[in-house]
Every structure is written in structure tokens, then in C-alpha cells.
Amino acid sequence: MVLVVQKYGGTSVGSVERIQTVAQRLLKTVKAGNSLVVVVSAMGKTTDGLVKLAHEISANPSRREMDMLLSTGEQVSIALLAMALQEIGQPAISLTGAQVGIVTEAQYSRARIFNIHTERISRHLDEGKVVVVAGFQGISSMTDLEITTLGRGGSDTSAVALAASLGADRCEIYTDVPGILTADPRLVSDAQLMDEITCDEMLELASLGAKVLHPRAVEIARNYGMPLVVLSSWTDDPGTKVISPTPQPRSLDDLEIARSVDAVEFDTDQAKVAMLRVPDHPGVAAQLFGEIAGQDLDVDLIIQSIHEGNTNDIAFSVSKGILKRAEAVAEAIAPAFRSPTNPSDDEAEVLVESNIAKIAIAGAGMIGHPGIAAQMFTTLANAGINIQMISTSEVKVSCVIDAADCNRAIAVLCDQFNIKSSPARLPISDNVETRHGASLHSNPVRGVALDQNQARLAIRYVPDRPGMAARIFSILAEQTISVDMIIQSQRCRVIDGIPTRDIAFTVAQAEAENAQKILQEAAPILGYGKVLLDADIAKVSIVGAGMIGQPGVAARMFAALSQHKINIQMITTSEIKISCVVNKEQGVTALQAIHQAFGLAGNQQVEVPT
């Protein structure tokens, strides 16, 4: 008999009528010959209502009592769904996270799962019952029985963790949209349904704000090779398959507490081209990378840091074999960025560095773990290795360093993160399927995401010496502040005889003011300048495994923004993602423009139930 784990979100069980509809769907699944475990969220906006109640009592409620309060929402929905199943003749039993034996770390409001005791579920399944489990919750140990919650979106995590622990044949996530779409249908009306997506692509999209799946759920599916499908609660459409690579065998103990970093990667076939002091206005990046794409040159890392005055710096890396051609393109375009009437030393300039290497740490477990980047920077600093460029994604942190330091960097990072081997970057010609778990699609971009809940912090005039980035981000990690994009400027300012560079990064808006305060207090000790905060930003990103080895993808994205007069404030990239920071009021326009530019629109408009 096939064992299926299904999860239904708050919208799907938001009323008695919807709970009864879900019960009929579950009965149909059982009659098809399946054993069934169901994970459900709290009804509709129940959790929001409970949070509001708590804040009417206390401005700063205890995290323990918040977990006690919020866990009650799921108890209502599991009991009602079990009743609805019993009413139509299907034996069922509801269980809380504690009754199931979902054991987590002792962290209120954001606990991760250690392991799940499946004996009771298995016994009820053998009795022919549908087991209805409260998502989002667990207990700190089988003796203390302290109730913990997994954080918002935790029901997804509960479902996939249960599926992995039970050895289920598949896990199905039911939601209010027909599957995973190329963009948020609330913002892009012609967003298209994908029939499949790789775990790596889904991790990036989920971490960028695509709310269909929680990143932690995707991480578990990826680690354990769990077949995962996202479907509509309202139709029988096939939905979207999330394709996992074949996993290495791993224990179900410490299920979510496994190591955060899976690999240390390096690439010594790298050279850097930096264009300093280019005008800070729409179209500059589009013009530069349009010319590069026109020469069929493939670019790896791209970074653009915060502006200084009316100019900005853009740097990118390429393979050494095409460095001369890339430099020639940059030199040819540089005069267009200079003043024809008032030439000065403070104008566009091209710098080339050929003796560099890229070193990166990668792992799905990095998501939501403050301090991983700081740990990498500290390890390099302790080895006396200076960082020239930083580029981050949700599952990777990449640094450009001096080529002479590469072997030492590999050794110390492998030792720090307990990695047994470090792969060099695979040639572009290698089959994308072997690296990403799915064949190359005709469109290199699979999805576009918009995150409007971030703020940018910029630290001016950071002394350019090993260890500064490590100390800065360690301070934030100690306060459990998670950092997203990190960019180190290419322009060097000498202040009192000390070379300095700016470092800019993004954090959640809710943590931004605290982060600014903490860093400004540390400024006299660490010797940097002001810490500037800008909450009026949005991050728009494209994701796709097919971007690898496809010149011109970045240029198309930048051109789409330029055509709508949208200025790019920051750029960062990974192999399968490009992110741009833009003005917040232009965020939705940017999303729609990029979605259209890559031809992602579908023929059928997706309606999201309220």
C-alpha cells in the first residue's frame, strides 16, 4: 500500500465548508488504495488573530507563552477535520505535535526538528485510520514536554519531515494556487504554472519570498530525496513536481540539525573586470552587459555596490580565456560613461585582475542560520586571506580571493565545516541535469520573485584588511540577525593612510533598525564610518538552472528594468540566480517587466481564492 503525506494550509481549511471539502478529497485518496497522514495549519487567519490578542495583553510577550498560544490554532483544525472524516465514514484520529513525538531543539518560535517518533502514527495507520497531525509544532523533549513552534510556514516543514521519517512514497502540499508559478499571481496576473522545478531552483525562489513552499521543507526534501508535489486544494490538476537529486544516505536523527554547509567549491579559472565610477542612472548595467552578451561572452559573478555621489561601481568575473575580450568590451564602452566636456580623474575607469580565484561554501542548511557567512569570513581572516569580492545567494556564499591563497582557503574551510572533499567548478559544457536534477529547459529563467520586506544597510569606509567582514557579520550573528545580500565595493578610499571599502547588505525590515544600532555602536572599535539605513527598497530576482552557460541573461534582465526607467541600486548573482535591489515603489513594475521580458506569461489567468 502506498503511504502519502498531505498538507493543507490555512486557506484550505479556513471554514467548515472547506474542511468538509478537504475531507472528501482525503476519502477519495484513501479509496484509491493509499495510507494517509494529513498535516494541517490553523484555520484561515487564526494565527494572526492570536498574535493580535497577545499584543493586546503585552507589548513584549514571552516567547514560551506565545508558542503555547499559537499552537492552539492547529488543534482546532485537526479536531474538526478528524470529525469531518468520521462523519463521512472514514476512521480518523487527530494528534498534536507532542502526541506524535515531533522532538525539536529548545528554541521557542523557531525550533528545528531533531527527530520524529513514528511508532504511534504507524500503529494508527495499521488500524486503517487517517492520521491528522497538527503542523507547525513539536516538543523540546519527550520528558520536558515543552511546546515549541517551527516558525511561520512551519506546517510545510512538519509535512516533509513526517514524510521523510515515515519513509512515505510522496509528500503532497495543497495550497490556494494550482502549483508553483513563474511569479506571484497576485502581482503578475499571467503567471504560468510550471510542471516541474528542481530543488535548487525552488530553494532560491522559496527563500526569495515565493510563499508556496517554505525553504526548510524544500531543504528536507532535497536532503532525503523525498518526492514532493505542490497542488491546488480546489482542482484535480497535476500541480508542480519538485525534483530532488539522488541523496547520500543519511540518518533521520538530527533531521533538521544536520550541518549547514555541504560543500566547499572553488574555481581558479577566474579573472575580474571592474568598472569604477560609472553613472548611477537607469540603463548603465543594461548597456554594459548588453555589449558583453553581444560578444557571446559568459559572465560568472556580477556585483554592483551602493552608489557614492552620482556614480557606482560594477564588477564581474569571467574565465581567464575570455578576459582579453571582456576587457576590450569594457574599455570600448567606458568613454560613453565619461564627460566629453569636463574630463577628470574621477571618471569611469576599467581595472582588471587576473590572479584571482573564487571560493564558495554551499548548502541548503544555510537558510535561516545566522552566522554561516561570518563563520566563513572569520575562517579566511584567521588564515590571513583577504576578500576582494563577496556575492551571496540563499544557499551559497562566494568570495573572490588572491589565486595564491586558494589552496589554503580550501583547506581551512574544509576543516572548519568538516567537508571531506572540495569540487572544482564543473565545465559549462557539462550536462546541467547531473548538477541540478532536471534537464535544461528552453527558457533559462524559471521564475521571478519580489521581496519587499527587506532593508539595506551600508557601512562606509571599512578598513580593507583581513577580518573586517568577519567581525562585522559575527556581531550580527551573535544577535541572531540573518543577512541576505552582501556586497563589498570595488572602489578603494584611503583615509588617514588606511585603504577602505564600503560593505552593503540587506536584512529583514523588522531587524534593520536594531542591526544599524548595533553596528554603529561598534564603529569606534572597528574603525569604520557611518552605518546608513534605507528601508525604501525591494529585491527582484530571476532564478533558473538553465542560466548556466547562457550569455545574455543578465543583460535581458537589466534591459527590462532600463526600459521602465528603473535604476538598479545593487546587483548580486549566483550560478542560478540574479538579484537586483531597486526602489520599493518600483518593485512590482520591475517584477512584471522582467516576467514579460523572459516570456514567462501563461495563457490562463490564475485566480487566488480569498
Side-chain angles (χ1 to χ4, degrees):
M1 184 174 285
V2 173
L3 175 57
V4 179
V5 175
Q6 295 183 349
K7 178 260 176 178
Y8 292 86
T11 305
S12 303
V13 293
S15 66
V16 168
E17 292 75 21
R18 289 184 176 181
I19 288 173
Q20 290 170 331
T21 299
V22 168
Q24 290 292 339
R25 182 184 287 272
L26 299 179
L27 181 62
K28 183 178 178 182
T29 302
V30 172
K31 287 187 173 180
N34 301 296
S35 291
L36 188 57
V37 176
V38 186
V39 176
V40 293
S41 301
M43 295 175 65
K45 301 293 184 181
T46 297
T47 302
D48 291 337
L50 293 172
V51 171
K52 183 179 179 182
L53 281 174
H55 286 285
E56 288 176 1
I57 297 290
S58 170
N60 187 26
S62 155
R63 288 170 67 182
R64 179 190 184 277
E65 302 309 329
M66 284 298 293
D67 277 10
M68 289 287 286
L69 176 66
L70 297 183
S71 64
T72 64
E74 280 71 23
Q75 274 189 252
V76 173
S77 53
I78 61 172
L80 291 175
L81 182 55
M83 292 176 193
L85 284 164
Q86 294 162 5
E87 193 67 18
I88 58 177
Q90 172 58 49
I93 186 170
S94 63
L95 299 174
T96 65
Q99 290 173 314
V100 168
I102 299 176
V103 181
T104 75
E105 59 186 350
Q107 293 283 347
Y108 298 116
S109 79
R110 54 182 176 84
R112 288 178 176 261
I113 298 171
F114 278 125
N115 53 62
I116 300 177
H117 296 265
T118 58
E119 296 84 359
R120 185 171 182 181
I121 290 181
S122 297
R123 185 171 73 249
H124 290 309
L125 289 172
D126 290 342
E127 295 167 351
K129 295 177 180 176
V130 171
V131 182
V132 186
V133 179
F136 172 68
Q137 60 183 249
I139 50 172
S140 62
S141 74
M142 296 299 287
T143 53
D144 292 341
L145 300 179
E146 283 291 297
I147 293 176
T148 55
T149 64
L150 311 183
R152 283 300 181 93
S155 292
D156 289 350
T157 306
S158 301
V160 184
L162 275 166
S165 298
L166 289 163
D169 294 277
R170 67 181 182 274
C171 182
E172 300 174 346
I173 306 292
Y174 286 86
T175 183
D176 51 7
V177 291
I180 299 165
L181 301 160
T182 52
D184 186 340
R186 299 168 183 84
L187 303 176
V188 180
S189 60
D190 56 2
Q192 182 177 354
L193 178 68
M194 304 182 214
D195 57 352
E196 66 177 37
I197 187 171
T198 69
C199 268
D200 284 352
E201 291 169 327
M202 192 65 240
L203 272 171
E204 296 282 10
L205 284 172
S207 301
L208 290 165
K211 298 176 182 178
V212 177
L213 267 179
H214 196 277
R216 284 168 60 185
V218 183
E219 175 189 352
I220 297 169
R222 182 179 184 269
N223 288 343
Y224 291 93
M226 174 53 56
L228 186 59
V229 189
V230 179
L231 307 109
S232 169
S233 298
W234 323 113
T235 72
D236 293 323
D237 294 339
T240 305
K241 294 179 181 178
V242 182
I243 308 298
S244 298
T246 303
Q248 296 294 322
R250 60 196 301 155
S251 171
L252 286 165
D253 290 328
D254 294 339
L255 193 145
E256 268 201 291
I257 321 295
R259 64 185 180 203
S260 300
V261 175
D262 294 327
V264 174
E265 302 171 355
F266 68 94
D267 186 358
T268 55
D269 183 29
Q270 290 266 301
K272 179 178 71 175
V273 179
M275 292 195 68
L276 308 186
R277 298 181 293 276
V278 297
D280 182 40
H281 59 67
V284 171
Q287 188 176 353
L288 171 61
F289 290 99
E291 292 290 339
I292 290 171
Q295 297 297 316
D296 200 32
L297 302 178
D298 193 34
V299 173
D300 186 7
L301 293 181
I302 303 172
I303 66 166
Q304 176 184 305
S305 190
I306 55 172
H307 67 86
E308 184 167 341
N310 296 318
T311 65
N312 215 322
D313 303 334
I314 300 176
F316 58 93
S317 63
V318 295
S319 63
K320 291 179 180 178
I322 63 172
L323 173 60
K324 292 294 184 184
R325 293 167 61 198
E327 180 184 6
V329 171
E331 290 286 6
I333 200 173
F337 299 144
R338 297 173 184 148
S339 171
T341 55
N342 297 304
S344 70
D345 293 334
D346 196 30
E347 289 197 331
E349 175 186 4
V350 178
L351 297 180
V352 172
E353 177 93 37
S354 58
N355 295 316
I356 65 167
K358 183 178 75 171
I359 188 88
I361 56 172
M366 293 166 58
I367 297 169
H369 276 186
I372 299 298
Q375 203 174 343
M376 179 187 191
F377 303 154
T378 299
T379 302
L380 295 176
N382 290 341
I385 298 170
N386 199 33
I387 299 170
Q388 300 180 26
M389 292 171 69
I390 300 169
S391 186
T392 61
S393 78
E394 279 61 25
V395 295
K396 181 175 287 191
V397 181
S398 300
C399 296
V400 169
I401 60 175
D402 191 284
D405 293 329
C406 186
N407 288 339
R408 194 152 41 95
I410 295 167
V412 295
L413 289 174
C414 284
D415 182 63
Q416 175 65 42
F417 293 106
N418 193 27
I419 303 298
K420 303 303 181 186
S421 63
S422 54
R425 178 177 173 181
L426 294 171
I428 290 298
S429 59
D430 281 10
N431 191 332
V432 173
E433 183 173 356
T434 63
R435 284 173 287 159
H436 297 280
S439 59
L440 183 65
H441 292 259
S442 58
N443 194 331
V445 174
R446 304 302 315 288
V448 186
L450 176 67
D451 188 346
Q452 296 179 298
N453 297 312
Q454 292 205 350
R456 180 181 61 216
L457 290 161
I459 309 176
R460 294 292 195 184
Y461 312 129
V462 179
D464 186 26
R465 57 174 179 260
M468 290 306 299
R471 296 180 70 181
I472 288 168
F473 293 106
S474 293
I475 291 171
L476 296 175
E478 288 168 3
Q479 301 297 319
T480 66
I481 296 174
S482 293
V483 175
D484 185 13
M485 296 173 70
I486 304 173
I487 298 176
Q488 179 175 270
S489 70
Q490 295 301 292
R491 196 178 315 189
C492 185
R493 294 280 188 186
V494 178
I495 299 176
D496 296 330
I498 300 173
T500 69
R501 299 182 190 274
D502 296 339
I503 294 179
F505 57 93
T506 59
V507 297
Q509 283 185 1
E511 299 179 319
E513 289 187 2
N514 187 35
Q516 182 188 32
K517 178 176 177 289
I518 292 166
L519 291 173
Q520 198 64 71
E521 289 173 351
I525 300 170
L526 298 183
Y528 49 72
K530 288 185 178 181
V531 181
L532 308 177
L533 170 62
D534 184 359
D536 192 28
I537 65 162
K539 182 176 74 171
V540 63
S541 307
I542 57 174
V543 172
M547 290 163 55
I548 298 173
Q550 295 288 311
V553 174
R556 285 172 67 185
M557 179 182 187
F558 303 155
L561 297 176
S562 174
Q563 288 166 9
H564 286 77
K565 308 299 183 185
I566 297 172
N567 195 33
I568 300 172
Q569 300 179 22
M570 292 169 66
I571 302 170
T572 188
T573 66
S574 73
E575 283 84 352
I576 65 169
K577 186 194 74 172
I578 301 172
S579 293
C580 296
V581 168
V582 300
N583 188 279
K584 188 169 187 175
E585 67 179 15
Q586 296 177 304
V588 174
T589 302
L591 178 76
Q592 294 168 343
I594 294 168
H595 191 268
Q596 182 179 16
F598 285 98
L600 296 175
N603 297 322
Q604 187 173 357
Q605 186 167 328
V606 176
E607 293 186 7
V608 181
T610 57

